[in-house]
Amino acid sequence: MESLYQSTLAPIKKTLYSGMLSRFTQPTDQHMLLLQLLQKEPILSLQILSRDSGQVYTFRVFLSDDEANDYLRPFFHKSYISMDSISSDRTFNKIRTLLLDCEANHSSCILGRSRDLPSLPNRVLEILNEEEELTIRLHISESEERGSYAALSYCWGGPQRFTLKSMNLNSMVRGIALTILPRTILDAITVTRKLGMRFLWVDSLCIIQDSAEDKIHEISEMGDIYKNANITIVAANASTVEDGFLLERPPPELCPIPIQLGPNVSGTAYLDKYGFDHQIDEFDEPLFRRGWAFQEFFLSPKILLYDSIKVTFTCPNHSFKGVHSNLAEYDYPAKPALSKVLYSFSEEAVVIRDHFLSHDWTQLISKYSSREFSNFEDRLPAIAGIAKIVSRKWNEDYVAGIWRRFLVHQLAW
């Protein structure tokens, strides 16, 4: 098998080398020497030496997952790239598969199962297809009414042109015209509907914005709202609610190289110009600079994140991964400490608790302090949801950003 593998890899190297000469090099750089095709999981890479300059160029090599045939697939291992739209039916099918896998196979991903349905928030948007027409209305939840729902995390980006207020509450219960909703909320409705879910929680449309009493009460419940959501839709790339997040992303800068190994064996390889430096950092996205988004992110067990490149998914069992294969490496903040706090029931609970309260909490507050707020007085309320849930789980006293049992240590920090 090894000799067959090597004999087939040789013509792949040759055709990639020929393609590189015609596509990537300048006339003065035609004296190029193929060093090696690195077969290292999960990325296939091509190294070429310029005889003129002595410089070694390294390019990642991908095969389109749409046209990867059974013959070529073993030689590219996991080096595939998807050309699918983020709003295509194939993309939503993959997202549904990820969610079903969570519910069926992940011990930590308990939300969404029928026997564990959480209580609905006091108000949610109800998404209905009545007589093949999309209908949106405000749903007032009954006491202890349970159901699966999505929550939206997004940037307001300034005053909102349409929100829930005391005077329009009854009309919103009857129905909400799609034409008055901003793009980001319309996109969230699309995602929720495509995932087969009926309810969506959006703060601007589920909290009475001109009622101080309602705002205080609902903000105190926000930690549980995001913690109990079956999925949180994170519109990370949208700076304002008017931007939307389902817009098509620019295609990656790739160089297509035809592969022809015989009359019935062909395909297209793609060489990545970025080498190994194409990385997405959390602060590249507008939402991750906003203070209120911090606890929404950390409390949500399952996240569907729309960034500037692609759509990614995470759950308590897995760190972020692209729904489709793509070039970018992800450097979003991991949530292992808090995930253990919220979802662990192991014998190590006491160790996890003390380490989190004494050590991880100060790191969490350090990251939180770098976030931006339109109103400075929001800084304590915007992290109170995390504190409330941790305090309730372990019966610990929380005082203005500090845990009483570690008061001296955290004041000294």
Side-chain angles (χ1 to χ4, degrees):
M1 179 63 188
E2 183 66 23
S3 60
L4 175 63
Y5 178 87
Q6 292 298 334
S7 65
T8 307
L9 199 58
I12 293 177
K13 291 166 65 175
K14 182 178 179 180
T15 190
L16 287 174
Y17 176 50
S18 300
M20 286 288 290
L21 290 179
S22 62
R23 296 267 188 162
F24 261 137
T25 62
Q26 300 297 324
T28 57
D29 267 342
Q30 288 297 313
H31 299 288
M32 304 284 284
L33 174 67
L34 179 65
L35 292 181
Q36 56 186 330
L37 190 62
L38 300 175
Q39 193 74 61
K40 184 178 181 180
E41 290 264 11
I43 299 298
L44 184 69
S45 63
L46 181 71
Q47 284 192 341
I48 289 185
L49 169 68
S50 169
R51 288 173 171 168
D52 291 348
S53 65
Q55 183 173 353
V56 175
Y57 299 91
T58 302
F59 300 90
R60 293 189 293 183
V61 185
F62 296 87
L63 200 65
S64 169
D65 62 0
D66 291 329
E67 60 179 356
N69 58 50
D70 292 338
Y71 188 85
L72 287 175
R73 192 176 292 275
F75 302 98
F76 281 79
H77 290 271
K78 298 178 181 179
S79 293
Y80 305 125
I81 185 168
S82 173
M83 303 299 181
D84 282 328
S85 160
I86 62 168
S87 57
S88 68
D89 288 341
R90 183 176 174 186
T91 297
F92 283 114
N93 286 338
K94 288 199 171 186
I95 295 169
R96 285 192 291 268
T97 299
L98 288 169
L99 288 172
L100 288 173
D101 181 54
C102 278
E103 295 165 12
N105 301 315
H106 297 172
S107 59
S108 298
C109 302
I110 58 174
L111 297 176
R113 297 176 181 173
S114 58
R115 66 177 181 272
D116 295 312
L117 288 178
S119 297
L120 285 175
N122 291 325
R123 306 179 196 92
V124 286
L125 297 182
E126 187 175 18
I127 303 167
L128 299 170
N129 284 312
E130 296 181 338
E131 299 179 356
E132 298 185 356
E133 184 175 344
L134 181 62
T135 301
I136 309 297
R137 65 189 180 203
L138 186 66
H139 175 82
I140 310 297
S141 304
E142 297 179 2
S143 177
E144 297 302 317
E145 182 177 359
R146 294 180 176 274
S148 179
Y149 66 93
L152 177 63
S153 178
Y154 67 110
C155 288
W156 278 36
Q160 307 295 284
R161 57 183 168 90
F162 180 74
T163 61
L164 173 61
K165 295 182 179 179
S166 303
M167 62 180 296
N168 66 4
L169 189 150
N170 290 333
S171 66
M172 288 178 63
V173 170
R174 293 191 295 270
I176 303 170
L178 295 176
T179 54
I180 64 175
L181 294 177
R183 185 76 257 167
T184 292
I185 294 177
L186 286 173
D187 285 351
I189 289 170
T190 296
V191 172
T192 304
R193 181 170 59 88
K194 290 280 191 179
L195 296 182
M197 301 178 67
R198 179 181 169 192
F199 298 115
L200 170 66
W201 189 86
V202 181
D203 57 0
S204 63
L205 301 179
C206 298
I207 300 174
I208 304 174
Q209 298 298 317
D210 60 351
S211 168
E213 181 181 359
D214 192 69
K215 289 174 75 173
I216 291 171
H217 178 267
E218 293 299 313
I219 287 174
S220 72
E221 299 295 319
M222 283 179 66
D224 284 315
I225 289 172
Y226 283 96
K227 179 178 179 291
N228 292 332
N230 191 42
I231 190 77
T232 295
I233 302 164
V234 177
N237 66 308
S239 297
T240 77
V241 72
E242 302 292 343
D243 292 345
F245 58 88
L246 289 182
L247 300 174
E248 287 309 311
R249 275 53 173 169
E253 293 189 51
L254 300 173
C255 175
I257 304 292
I259 296 178
Q260 186 72 44
L261 302 180
N264 299 315
V265 182
S266 63
T268 303
Y270 295 88
L271 303 187
D272 175 19
K273 291 183 180 180
Y274 287 105
F276 292 91
D277 299 324
H278 194 196
Q279 189 173 64
I280 300 174
D281 184 79
E282 58 172 306
F283 293 111
D284 292 339
E285 307 296 342
L287 184 64
F288 290 123
R289 296 191 290 269
R290 302 300 302 161
W292 279 101
F294 188 86
Q295 72 173 3
E296 297 166 5
F297 178 89
F298 277 94
L299 289 176
S300 299
K302 286 179 278 189
I303 289 175
L304 193 61
L305 192 152
Y306 289 84
D307 60 42
S308 302
I309 307 295
K310 281 287 186 179
V311 55
T312 58
F313 175 80
T314 188
C315 70
N317 276 53
H318 290 295
S319 58
F320 279 103
K321 60 180 178 181
V323 172
H324 290 300
S325 303
N326 55 77
L327 301 179
E329 302 290 337
Y330 296 95
D331 191 25
Y332 293 127
K335 306 190 297 178
L338 196 56
S339 294
K340 288 180 180 178
V341 170
L342 299 179
Y343 308 115
S344 174
F345 301 93
S346 68
E347 296 178 356
E348 300 176 347
V350 173
V351 176
I352 294 171
R353 176 197 65 192
D354 289 350
H355 188 271
F356 175 81
L357 295 179
S358 64
H359 179 264
D360 295 330
W361 181 258
T362 55
Q363 292 188 335
L364 185 144
I365 292 298
S366 177
K367 290 180 177 293
Y368 176 69
S369 299
S370 67
R371 298 293 183 103
E372 300 170 358
F373 285 89
S374 299
N375 300 308
F376 184 81
E377 58 270 20
D378 287 344
R379 286 185 173 272
L380 283 178
I383 202 172
I386 296 177
K388 177 182 177 181
I389 290 171
V390 173
S391 176
R392 184 173 61 206
K393 181 177 177 66
W394 284 329
N395 195 29
E396 294 283 349
D397 293 331
Y398 173 77
V399 184
I402 294 175
W403 297 100
R404 186 182 298 276
R405 194 154 59 89
F406 297 94
L407 185 66
V408 174
H409 170 76
Q410 291 179 1
L411 282 176
W413 172 78

